[in-house]
């Protein structure tokens, strides 16, 4: 029997987790001498590399001496909480990675609290001690306080701390003593993390994640809880609704290095991938054929937000995307719910419109961005926060918001957040920054990031996580400015845009094709204004010299997908295609808009 350690890595976005995994992989000599690999081995989809975040958890294994270490990479964002909880079920210990300057961040707290509840043993790695103005000792104290506040047991509080730099590839038990490798980390894992328990008896395995291959279909991944799984045996699949389905294991694989190796049997404690099982969901238990015993299902945090997804019906539909029909949209959304646990999709009374529930703007925007890259065209409505009725009173989700900001602009940030019903709970210096913590309704966060970044000249660092449902806090002022709306379809002219610059800021530039009803800018006042940007200059044969070449146009305002999702109003849609993101009114014709406004009044 080989000794196995299953360990999950927890870290905040950008604290160096994926880089550390790269170094562990290199140190264990998985690659042959002639193989060359880029950095960020595990963040292998484009979106993860671009945003520098881990979205989907992944498995990799390394060997040190005669021990096999299975490393499970976890997402650091609270929006992917569904991903985190099921992944921790496979681990016996966690590696908590914190930045030697920033310390434990709000997202770290979220994942760490889940790990501590599950009773996992932590090892703390204080990373980036090579950076100037780092404070490793303070950060160590901070992590201890955090674990204490999360009700860690005495055994969990007695954690081993390692210091080092993943980038430079060294770890040590004292940050003043630099070594030249990360062997101390391997030693600590073997010494501290308990070996994966071996339980005798009938086989049991909970499916905690899935993979897909175009050759063999869906692949179930999980840790064998009890007994031994054999290739080619018949098993029972225990479903959510209590029903039991008979299935057969076609093939078993275990994780070796970055790949998988086919084996005949897998004993308890090992993580494996199974092919040949049909119709399973995450959380189902694979159990004995004769007398199946299901394991307790994974509970997932409830969604806090929903958005309307509908097909693209703008005048420009079908010009850029491959998948444009309601059937395409429907199939893609329901396929996503199979592996994205915290996502829910509901059909509405219109067959081309769906309500999609998620954990936050980032959770939903990653789905929209992924679909857009796959060639889908769709439209989404304004994100709506989900309210709950508790004892007859309306409750809403409250988020814990943390902002680190230069001292001189801290006042502006506090003012912006309190306008949106945020309450300041902590204000303290952190290095040369002010560290602010608030409790704010999730509704208040929509569109807040743009305003805070504008007020602080882009220097604020914002993070938030879901805290709890609390009684409704009253109305929150939305966007103060109205929209500039295109009157006609066609390319805009520099002449018209120049003449209208005093009316607001434009989101389009001369020569760009727009359609009637598209939102092409932000009005300087509170009401919507319909403008004509297609008008050219009336040319006569008498030209005044020098009057034509002084057209100076302010560059257009560019929005990222998340910013645009937060920006749109209730009567607007965001049109998303593989090449463009456009905002538009739901009713493109001005007369229709006026008619529906009267109805609403």
């Amino acid at each position: 029997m080989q000794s196995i350690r299953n360990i999950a890595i927890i870290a905040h976005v950008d604290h160096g987790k994926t880089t550390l995994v790269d170094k562990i992989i290199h140190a264990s000599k998985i690659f042959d001498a002639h193989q060359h690999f880029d950095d960020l081995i595990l963040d292998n989809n484009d979106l993860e590399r671009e945003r520098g975040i881990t979205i989907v958890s992944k498995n990799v294994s390394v060997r040190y001496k005669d021990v096999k270490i299975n490393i499970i990479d976890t997402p650091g964002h609270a929006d992917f909480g569904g991903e985190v909880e099921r992944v921790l079920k496979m681990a016996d210990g966690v590696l908590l990675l914190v930045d030697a300057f920033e310390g434990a961040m709000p997202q770290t707290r979220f994942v760490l609290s889940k790990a501590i509840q599950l009773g996992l043993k932590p090892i703390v790695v204080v990373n980036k001690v090579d950076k100037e103005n780092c404070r490793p000792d303070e950060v160590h104290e901070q992590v201890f306080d955090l674990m204490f506040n999360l009700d860690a047991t005495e055994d969990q509080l007695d954690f081993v701390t390692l210091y080092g730099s993943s980038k430079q590839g060294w770890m040590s038990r004292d940050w003043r003593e630099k070594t030249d490798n990360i062997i101390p980390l391997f030693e600590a894992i073997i010494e501290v993390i308990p070996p994966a328990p071996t339980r005798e008896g009938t086989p049991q395995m909970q499916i905690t994640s899935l993979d897909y291959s175009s050759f063999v279909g869906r692949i179930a991944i999980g840790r064998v809880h009890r007994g031994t799984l054999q290739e080619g045996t018949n098993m029972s699949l225990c479903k959510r609704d209590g029903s039991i389905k008979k299935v057969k294991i076609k093939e078993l694989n275990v994780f070796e290095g970055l790949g998988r190796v086919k084996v005949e049997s897998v004993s308890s404690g090992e993580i494996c991938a199974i092919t040949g099982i049909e119709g399973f969901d995450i959380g189902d238990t694979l159990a004995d054929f004769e007398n199946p015993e299901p394991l307790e299902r994974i509970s997932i945090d409830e969604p806090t937000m929903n958005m309307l997804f509908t097909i693209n019906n703008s005048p420009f539909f079908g010009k850029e995307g491959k998948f444009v029909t309601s059937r395409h949209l429907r199939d893609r959304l329901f396929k996503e719910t199979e592996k994205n646990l915290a996502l829910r999709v509901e059909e509405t009374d219109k067959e081309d419109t769906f309500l999609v529930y998620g954990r936050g703007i980032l959770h939903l925007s990653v789905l929209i961005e992924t679909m857009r890259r796959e060639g889908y065209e769709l439209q989404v409505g304004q994100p709506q926060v989900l309210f709950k009725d508790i004892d007859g009173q309306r409750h809403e989700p409250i988020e814990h918001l943390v902002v680190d900001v230069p001292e001189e602009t801290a006042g502006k940030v506090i003012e912006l957040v309190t306008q949106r019903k945020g309450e300041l709970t902590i204000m303290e210096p952190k290095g040369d920054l002010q560290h602010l913590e608030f409790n704010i309704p999730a509704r208040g966060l929509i569109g807040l990031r743009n305003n805070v970044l504008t007020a602080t000249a882009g220097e604020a660092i914002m993070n938030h996580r879901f805290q709890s449902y609390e009684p409704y806090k009253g109305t929150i002022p939305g966007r103060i400015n109205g929209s500039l709306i295109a009157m006609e379809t066609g390319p805009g002219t520099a002449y018209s845009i120049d003449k209208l610059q005093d009316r607001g800021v434009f989101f389009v530039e001369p020569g760009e094709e727009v359609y009637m009803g598209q939102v092409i800018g932000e009005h300087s006042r509170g009401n919507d204004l319909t403008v004509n940007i297609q008008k050219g200059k009336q040319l006569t044969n008498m030209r005044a010299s020098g009057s034509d070449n002084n057209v100076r146009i302010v560059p257009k305002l560019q929005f990222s997908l998340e910013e645009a999702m937060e920006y749109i109003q209730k009567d607007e849609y965001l049109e998303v295609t593989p090449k463009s993101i456009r905002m538009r009114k739901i009713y493109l014709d001005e007369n229709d808009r006026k008619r529906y406004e009267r109805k609403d009044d």
Side-chain angles (χ1 to χ4, degrees):
M1 279 291 291
Q2 61 172 346
S3 180
I4 296 172
R5 303 284 190 280
N6 294 321
I7 186 162
I9 296 196
I10 296 176
H12 182 73
V13 179
D14 217 21
H15 277 199
K17 172 178 55 176
T18 310
T19 312
L20 178 65
V21 175
D22 288 355
K23 287 294 185 280
I24 290 175
I25 291 169
H26 286 299
S28 61
K29 311 254 187 318
I30 286 176
F31 301 135
D32 298 336
H34 62 275
Q35 275 181 291
H36 169 71
F37 269 84
D38 296 331
D39 291 343
L40 305 182
I41 297 162
L42 285 193
D43 280 355
N44 50 13
N45 79 26
D46 296 342
L47 252 183
E48 293 184 313
R49 282 171 172 261
E50 277 169 35
R51 291 169 182 242
I53 59 174
T54 301
I55 297 169
V56 186
S57 64
K58 308 175 190 66
N59 300 47
V60 59
S61 85
V62 296
R63 287 182 183 276
Y64 177 68
K65 295 183 175 165
D66 52 356
V67 177
K68 180 176 180 184
I69 302 170
N70 283 320
I71 298 167
I72 308 151
D73 193 11
T74 65
H77 238 284
D79 275 18
F80 306 109
E83 196 66 31
V84 168
E85 292 178 43
R86 61 179 208 222
V87 168
L88 291 176
K89 279 280 178 88
M90 296 197 272
D92 299 302
V94 291
L95 205 59
L96 172 65
L97 189 65
V98 289
D99 184 303
F101 170 67
E102 292 187 343
M105 300 287 274
Q107 312 286 0
T108 322
R109 182 190 179 108
F110 168 81
V111 188
L112 186 62
S113 65
K114 302 283 181 201
I116 282 174
Q117 284 164 19
L118 288 168
L120 303 179
K121 178 81 180 169
I123 292 179
V124 175
V125 176
V126 178
N127 191 20
K128 305 192 184 181
V129 296
D130 53 319
K131 278 169 67 172
E132 51 201 80
N133 69 17
C134 65
R135 41 195 194 109
D137 295 330
E138 275 177 61
V139 168
H140 178 255
E141 302 251 315
Q142 196 190 358
V143 172
F144 183 87
D145 294 344
L146 171 63
M147 289 207 197
F148 184 78
N149 294 337
L150 293 174
D151 297 331
T153 61
E154 283 193 15
D155 182 45
Q156 286 172 324
L157 285 173
D158 184 21
F159 55 83
V160 168
T161 306
L162 291 158
Y163 301 90
S165 159
S166 329
K167 199 169 179 185
Q168 295 177 356
W170 66 273
M171 289 285 153
S172 155
R173 297 237 173 165
D174 182 350
W175 62 276
R176 295 172 194 83
E177 292 175 17
K178 187 173 172 181
T179 60
D180 56 0
N181 57 35
I182 59 166
I183 297 299
L185 177 63
F186 287 134
E187 297 284 357
I189 290 174
I190 289 169
E191 176 193 328
V192 175
I193 305 296
T198 49
R199 300 183 180 93
E200 298 300 318
T202 54
Q204 262 185 328
M205 180 187 112
Q206 187 159 41
I207 297 168
T208 44
S209 60
L210 60 85
D211 200 355
Y212 182 81
S213 144
S214 46
F215 299 111
V216 293
R218 294 169 75 211
I219 302 167
I221 298 172
R223 178 165 80 155
V224 182
H225 181 73
R226 188 177 72 191
T228 304
L229 295 181
Q230 296 279 355
E231 191 181 67
T233 49
N234 291 320
M235 305 286 287
S236 298
L237 185 68
C238 309
K239 307 282 293 172
R240 179 195 297 270
D241 55 8
S243 64
I244 290 175
K245 195 175 159 192
K246 300 302 180 196
V247 292
K248 185 174 185 176
I249 298 177
K250 264 196 197 140
E251 197 175 288
L252 282 169
N253 287 283
V254 293
F255 293 89
E256 277 294 340
L258 292 169
R260 298 188 190 142
V261 177
K262 186 170 176 293
V263 289
E264 284 180 11
S265 67
V266 178
S267 49
S268 64
E270 175 68 288
I271 297 172
C272 68
I274 302 172
T275 54
I277 306 174
E278 289 300 316
F280 64 85
D281 291 309
I282 288 172
D284 290 353
T285 304
L286 204 59
D288 188 54
F289 188 73
E290 302 291 325
N291 46 357
E293 297 170 47
L295 288 160
E296 187 188 342
R297 284 194 83 82
I298 305 167
S299 64
I300 297 296
D301 285 350
E302 290 288 299
T304 56
M305 208 168 254
N306 72 7
M307 281 177 88
L308 202 67
F309 277 56
T310 179
I311 57 166
N312 185 10
N313 60 2
S314 84
F316 292 173
F317 90 98
K319 285 189 174 179
E320 296 171 0
K322 281 192 298 200
F323 309 111
V324 294
T325 66
S326 58
R327 186 177 59 83
H328 285 140
L329 181 64
R330 183 203 154 85
D331 293 350
R332 179 65 182 81
L333 288 175
F334 280 106
K335 186 177 156 205
E336 184 68 23
T337 55
E338 289 181 1
K339 61 176 191 290
N340 196 333
L341 280 201
L343 197 80
R344 284 215 315 268
V345 179
E346 269 179 23
E347 302 196 43
T348 61
D349 46 7
K350 297 183 186 153
E351 61 266 22
D352 58 5
T353 306
F354 304 89
L355 265 181
V356 180
Y357 295 81
R359 294 274 306 144
I361 295 261
L362 182 69
H363 187 202
L364 292 165
S365 77
V366 165
L367 167 65
I368 297 168
E369 181 66 43
T370 310
M371 287 173 66
R372 167 183 181 202
R373 289 176 183 215
E374 289 169 5
Y376 285 84
E377 281 195 15
L378 64 148
Q379 294 185 141
V380 293
Q382 187 188 33
Q384 301 292 334
V385 165
L386 300 180
F387 297 105
K388 268 185 184 176
D389 260 356
I390 304 175
D391 304 333
Q393 198 182 2
R394 193 180 191 197
H395 281 58
E396 66 174 330
I398 301 291
E399 300 257 342
H400 180 70
L401 170 70
V402 177
V403 187
D404 289 334
V405 64
E407 206 166 322
E408 59 275 14
T409 49
K412 288 183 188 168
V413 174
I414 295 171
E415 186 186 342
L416 283 169
V417 178
T418 44
Q419 277 171 0
R420 291 163 172 256
K421 304 279 193 258
E423 293 167 20
L424 181 65
T425 54
I426 292 174
M427 178 174 180
E428 59 192 20
K430 174 177 169 185
D432 52 355
L433 298 174
Q434 265 319 85
H435 175 78
L436 310 171
E437 295 192 18
F438 303 88
N439 291 335
I440 179 172
R443 292 176 297 143
L445 283 171
I446 297 176
L448 177 67
R449 185 180 298 269
N450 281 356
N451 298 355
V452 167
L453 289 176
T454 308
T456 61
E459 292 200 22
I461 302 164
M462 283 175 68
N463 291 292
H464 56 87
R465 63 183 170 84
F466 171 69
Q467 188 157 317
S468 60
Y469 269 88
E470 288 180 22
Y472 183 67
K473 302 277 189 232
T475 52
I476 291 177
R479 190 174 98 201
I480 334 160
N481 297 49
S483 303
L484 292 176
I485 306 159
M487 190 186 285
E488 293 179 9
T489 301
T493 63
Y495 172 76
S496 306
I497 292 177
D498 179 46
K499 290 277 178 274
L500 291 163
Q501 286 196 101
D502 57 339
R503 293 307 181 98
V505 185
F506 279 90
F507 308 154
V508 294
E509 53 198 16
E512 201 172 311
E513 287 276 347
V514 299
Y515 53 78
M516 180 178 86
Q518 185 177 333
V519 175
I520 52 172
E522 181 178 282
H523 191 194
S524 50
R525 300 197 173 164
N527 59 324
D528 288 351
L529 181 68
T530 308
V531 294
N532 183 341
I533 59 162
Q534 281 84 5
K535 233 178 6 206
K537 183 171 184 183
Q538 296 301 316
L539 296 179
T540 63
N541 55 359
M542 297 284 286
R543 315 267 320 253
S545 66
S547 62
D548 242 15
N549 46 13
N550 55 5
V551 173
R552 288 218 178 98
I553 293 179
V554 179
K556 70 171 183 177
L557 195 59
Q558 287 273 24
F559 283 90
S560 73
L561 178 61
E562 272 120 75
E563 287 166 351
M565 284 163 68
E566 293 186 341
Y567 184 82
I568 55 174
Q569 300 278 42
K570 217 163 38 206
D571 64 341
E572 293 169 355
Y573 273 158
L574 187 63
E575 177 191 349
V576 182
T577 72
K579 291 183 190 158
S580 329
I581 296 174
R582 303 185 191 93
M583 299 179 224
R584 54 161 283 186
K585 289 291 176 186
I586 294 178
Y587 300 108
L588 296 177
D589 189 305
E590 193 172 0
N591 298 326
D592 289 350
R593 284 200 293 277
K594 286 182 175 157
R595 199 175 309 128
Y596 280 99
E597 263 171 42
R598 277 192 222 109
K599 274 188 186 173
D600 290 346
D601 294 347

